[in-house]
């Protein structure tokens, strides 16, 4: 974990100013004069997402970015943790993109159905007016003849075809496929490997990894010491400690090299466990001063942390890399889309969104543990894209029933699995008398979601009972809340 170097006041600055220099000095992130020496003579470390984003860019943008990286290739160094996460993470990035494009056409259907429902509502409104104020059955019949489902389908057919054509073009334009990753013919990996040559950090021993992981999750993260404390909710301590392992490997490498004066870390995320949040009038976030100070005290090297866009814009400005404004914009869009998919949710997750929306990383497993589930069958369900509705329900129900607290970046969830209303919440809900006797109260008047029936039917006895117990508890809580409001 490293030993902190004893500080000594210089002849120019008192110890107070030396020790807290990182807090006192102005932010240098966007200052070109400060950036240039790091690009031209510093050690450059790209974090995992900077490399994985190569699989998210269009071929044109990727080509420009790889050419720009060639200009700094002799100064690139790959920590073992970044290399491991990169080679393992490629499949997930390509699989996610493939899955989104595969589902894109089917996800148009709900929007067209909503449009037809709105047209129907408008039709019913005018129908009612004609009947109420004119008793005009002829006018009503004319509207029914002119506005109907077959006519609507015919009207939207060219729109649907145009949208589908664009989706097909996107699918056909993909130049890296899942089979490339699986078969070892990935065209990007050899180019990345050539950029680094043999400048790849050694693998730490199991004992070193264990000590660092324990230090991260046992001391640094609970005390919100950067970097990486926002990853505390990830599935395992080893996954949670990824950023800290990267941090320690860079410090160890620079400390052993000895002669390195500057280190540039390029971060694919502007997270608040790397960057200090700033007020509205204080400009963009800056790297946490404790990070800068810790790095200096342990390595005697200066550290600069920048995001992907700033880095590649800097390479273009300082080293005359051929990066077009459209590529810079694509870098921004890619980062924003990745961060939005991971952390951003507008309002609570509802049934209309849940089937196509991946939960935040680790949230479903945290809910699995909070509900005291134990079977591998249900564990697989909370990690499979085929059971998104159940995952979101479990996340929401365990938080709603007080079994756990909502994690960082986790949205609220408004999703139920049982209903005691007279009518089903959706047409495909079924009466709960399909369940075993005694599993729900009054099964002949209780509705159950079809996705819940699917999970229940494949669950072993103990988990089946636990899942239904949670569903009954949520139903009772909502009924109690409704009666309180009514009273």
């Amino acid at each position: 974990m490293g030993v902190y170097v004893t500080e000594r006041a210089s002849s120019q600055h008192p110890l107070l100013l030396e020790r807290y220099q990182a807090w006192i000095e102005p932010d240098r992130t966007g200052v070109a004069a400060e950036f240039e020496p790091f690009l031209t003579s510093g050690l450059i470390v790209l974090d995992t997402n900077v490399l994985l984003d190569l699989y998210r860019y269009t071929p044109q943008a990727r080509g420009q970015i790889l050419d720009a990286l060639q200009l700094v290739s002799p100064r690139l160094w790959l920590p073992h943790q970044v290399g491991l996460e990169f080679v393992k993470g490629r499949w997930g990035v390509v699989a996610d993109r493939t899955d989104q494009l595969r589902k894109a056409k089917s996800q148009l259907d709900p929007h067209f159905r909503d449009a037809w429902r709105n047209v129907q509502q408008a039709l019913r409104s005018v129908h009612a007016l004609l009947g109420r104020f004119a008793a005009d059955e002829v006018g009503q019949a004319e509207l029914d003849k002119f506005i109907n489902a077959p006519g609507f389908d015919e009207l939207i057919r060219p729109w649907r075809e145009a949208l589908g054509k664009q989706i097909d073009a996107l699918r056909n334009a993909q130049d890296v496929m899942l089979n490339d990753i699986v078969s070892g013919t990935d065209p990007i990996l050899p180019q990345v490997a050539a950029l680094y040559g043999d400048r790849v950090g050694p693998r730490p021993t199991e004992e070193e990894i264990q000590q660092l992981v324990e230090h991260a999750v046992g001391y640094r993260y609970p005390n919100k010491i950067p970097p990486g404390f926002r990853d505390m909710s990830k599935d395992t301590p080893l996954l949670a400690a990824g950023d800290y392992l990267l941090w320690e490997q860079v410090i160890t490498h620079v400390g052993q090299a000895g002669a390195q004066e500057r280190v540039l870390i390029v971060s694919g995320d502007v997270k608040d466990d790397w960057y200090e949040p700033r007020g509205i009038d204080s400009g963009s976030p800056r790297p946490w001063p404790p990070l800068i100070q810790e790095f200096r005290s342990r390595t005697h090297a200066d550290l600069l942390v920048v995001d992907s866009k700033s880095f590649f814009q800097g390479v273009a400005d300082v080293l005359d890399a051929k990066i077009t404004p459209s590529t810079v914009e694509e870098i921004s869009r890619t980062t924003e889309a990745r961060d939005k998919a991971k952390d951003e949710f507008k309002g609570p997750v509802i049934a209309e969104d849940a089937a196509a929306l991946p939960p935040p990383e680790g949230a479903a497993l945290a809910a699995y543990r909070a509900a005291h589930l134990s079977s591998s069958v249900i564990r697989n369900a909370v990690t499979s894209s085929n059971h998104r509705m159940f995952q979101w329900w479990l996340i929401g129900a365990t938080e709603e029933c007080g079994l756990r607290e909502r994690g960082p970046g986790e949205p609220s969830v408004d999703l139920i699995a049982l209903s005691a209303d007279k009518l089903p919440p959706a047409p495909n809900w079924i009466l709960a008398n399909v369940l075993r006797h005694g599993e729900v109260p009054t099964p002949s008047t209780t509705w159950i979601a079809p996705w819940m029936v699917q999970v229940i039917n494949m669950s072993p006895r103990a988990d089946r009972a636990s899942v239904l117990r949670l569903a009954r508890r949520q139903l009772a809580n909502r009924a109690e809340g409704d009666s309180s409001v009514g009273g």
Side-chain angles (χ1 to χ4, degrees), residues 320-483:
D320 199 27
K322 306 303 181 185
I323 297 180
T324 62
S326 62
T327 293
V328 174
E329 179 59 29
E330 185 171 336
I331 293 170
S332 294
R333 285 198 310 270
T334 300
T335 301
E336 290 169 4
R338 170 165 43 80
D339 291 346
K340 182 177 180 180
K342 182 169 57 178
D343 296 321
E344 296 294 330
F345 297 89
K346 295 182 178 179
V349 175
I350 58 177
E352 287 77 4
D353 305 321
L357 189 65
E361 186 173 7
L365 278 175
Y368 169 89
R369 291 188 285 265
H372 304 293
L373 303 173
S374 58
S375 71
S376 60
V377 172
I378 301 299
R379 186 180 176 90
N380 289 337
V382 300
T383 57
S384 168
S385 61
N386 296 324
H387 297 283
R388 296 288 194 220
M389 298 288 286
F390 174 72
Q391 292 165 19
W392 278 116
W393 170 79
L394 188 63
I395 290 168
T398 50
E399 192 260 336
E400 185 177 335
C401 295
L403 299 182
R404 65 181 190 89
E405 293 184 356
R406 197 181 305 170
E410 181 183 317
S412 61
V413 180
D414 187 8
L415 198 62
I416 56 173
L418 296 176
S419 172
D421 291 337
K422 291 182 180 180
L423 296 176
N428 59 344
W429 281 50
I430 55 181
L431 284 171
N433 53 18
V434 299
L435 300 177
R436 298 170 185 167
H437 178 71
E439 287 188 319
V440 297
T442 58
S444 61
T445 58
T446 302
W447 302 96
I448 184 168
W451 47 264
M452 175 61 90
V453 174
Q454 182 183 12
V455 172
I456 288 298
N457 286 341
M458 68 183 188
S459 301
R461 182 184 298 271
D463 275 3
R464 180 185 178 108
S466 296
V467 168
L468 284 170
R469 188 182 307 116
L470 179 61
R472 294 195 302 269
R473 182 173 172 180
Q474 183 192 35
L475 181 63
N477 285 354
R478 294 204 172 197
E480 182 179 348
D482 291 342
S483 64

Side-chain angles (χ1 to χ4, degrees), residues 159-279:
W159 303 346
R160 187 190 292 273
E161 290 175 353
L163 294 169
K165 182 178 180 180
Q166 293 297 328
I167 292 171
D168 288 338
L170 284 172
R171 294 176 64 175
N172 294 333
Q174 303 309 306
D175 62 337
V176 182
M177 310 303 288
L178 275 176
N179 187 59
D180 296 327
I181 308 297
V182 175
S183 65
T185 57
D186 173 3
I188 298 175
L189 182 60
Q191 298 179 73
V192 174
L195 288 172
Y196 286 98
D198 59 358
R199 297 180 302 281
V200 180
R203 186 188 189 282
T205 65
E206 292 297 330
E207 293 77 11
E208 289 170 335
I209 293 174
Q210 181 178 348
Q211 289 178 6
L212 290 170
V213 169
E214 290 174 353
H215 184 59
V217 301
Y219 172 67
R220 291 181 70 113
Y221 289 2
N223 291 290
K224 292 184 168 50
I225 301 174
F229 59 79
R230 281 298 184 195
D231 295 333
M232 186 70 173
S233 62
K234 285 191 174 180
D235 297 348
T236 69
L238 182 58
L239 290 174
D243 278 5
Y244 180 61
L245 292 175
L246 155 66
W247 177 249
E248 284 293 330
Q249 288 166 14
V250 174
I251 286 178
T252 299
H253 175 74
V254 175
Q256 291 173 347
Q260 190 65 56
E261 295 183 3
R262 298 180 184 87
V263 176
L264 175 63
I265 292 181
V266 185
S267 171
D269 303 290
V270 184
K271 301 187 302 181
D272 64 0
D273 53 3
W274 279 90
Y275 289 83
E276 179 183 25
R278 307 286 289 274

Side-chain angles (χ1 to χ4, degrees), residues 29-331:
T29 302
V31 181
E34 294 282 356
F35 199 6
E36 183 171 353
F38 285 87
L39 280 174
T40 56
S41 63
L43 182 77
I44 300 175
V45 177
L46 310 178
D47 84 356
T48 306
N49 268 325
V50 177
L51 295 176
L52 287 178
D53 280 348
L54 291 169
Y55 293 85
R56 300 180 174 106
Y57 296 137
T58 60
Q60 295 79 8
R62 184 194 308 133
Q64 293 183 16
I65 289 167
L66 286 169
D67 287 344
L69 289 174
Q70 285 284 358
L71 299 177
V72 297
S73 175
R75 288 181 292 284
L76 290 176
W77 181 76
L78 185 73
H80 170 79
Q81 183 66 23
V82 172
L84 180 64
E85 292 175 355
F86 169 62
V87 296
K88 291 172 62 177
R90 297 170 301 137
W91 190 91
V93 172
V94 178
D96 180 66
R97 184 193 65 206
T98 302
D99 189 53
Q100 289 185 53
L101 291 175
R102 179 177 60 83
K103 295 177 178 177
K105 282 189 178 179
S106 64
Q107 290 175 349
L108 298 176
D109 294 336
H111 300 296
F112 285 119
R113 285 196 296 269
D114 287 344
W116 172 236
R117 280 195 291 266
N118 290 332
V119 171
Q120 285 180 302
Q121 184 60 46
L123 177 62
R124 284 193 293 267
S125 297
V126 177
H127 248 275
L129 292 173
L130 289 171
R132 180 179 179 184
F133 295 113
D136 186 356
E137 295 182 0
V138 173
Q140 291 174 329
E142 288 178 350
L143 286 178
D144 291 339
K145 182 179 180 180
F146 181 62
I147 303 175
N148 50 58
F152 180 79
D153 288 341
E154 184 65 26
L155 177 67
I156 67 170
R157 181 174 293 112
W159 303 346
R160 187 190 292 273
E161 290 175 353
L163 294 169
K165 182 178 180 180
Q166 293 297 328
I167 292 171
D168 288 338
L170 284 172
R171 294 176 64 175
N172 294 333
Q174 303 309 306
D175 62 337
V176 182
M177 310 303 288
L178 275 176
N179 187 59
D180 296 327
I181 308 297
V182 175
S183 65
T185 57
D186 173 3
I188 298 175
L189 182 60
Q191 298 179 73
V192 174
L195 288 172
Y196 286 98
D198 59 358
R199 297 180 302 281
V200 180
R203 186 188 189 282
T205 65
E206 292 297 330
E207 293 77 11
E208 289 170 335
I209 293 174
Q210 181 178 348
Q211 289 178 6
L212 290 170
V213 169
E214 290 174 353
H215 184 59
V217 301
Y219 172 67
R220 291 181 70 113
Y221 289 2
N223 291 290
K224 292 184 168 50
I225 301 174
F229 59 79
R230 281 298 184 195
D231 295 333
M232 186 70 173
S233 62
K234 285 191 174 180
D235 297 348
T236 69
L238 182 58
L239 290 174
D243 278 5
Y244 180 61
L245 292 175
L246 155 66
W247 177 249
E248 284 293 330
Q249 288 166 14
V250 174
I251 286 178
T252 299
H253 175 74
V254 175
Q256 291 173 347
Q260 190 65 56
E261 295 183 3
R262 298 180 184 87
V263 176
L264 175 63
I265 292 181
V266 185
S267 171
D269 303 290
V270 184
K271 301 187 302 181
D272 64 0
D273 53 3
W274 279 90
Y275 289 83
E276 179 183 25
R278 307 286 289 274
I280 295 176
D281 298 329
S282 302
S284 58
R286 69 170 181 175
W288 279 104
L291 279 175
I292 307 300
Q293 197 72 14
E294 177 182 354
F295 197 87
R296 287 174 179 167
S297 64
R298 294 178 61 183
T299 66
H300 296 297
D302 201 6
L303 174 68
L304 187 65
V305 182
V306 299
D307 61 24
S308 298
K309 179 181 177 181
S310 299
F311 171 72
F312 286 109
Q313 185 66 67
V315 175
D317 294 341
V318 175
L319 303 178
D320 199 27
K322 306 303 181 185
I323 297 180
T324 62
S326 62
T327 293
V328 174
E329 179 59 29
E330 185 171 336
I331 293 170

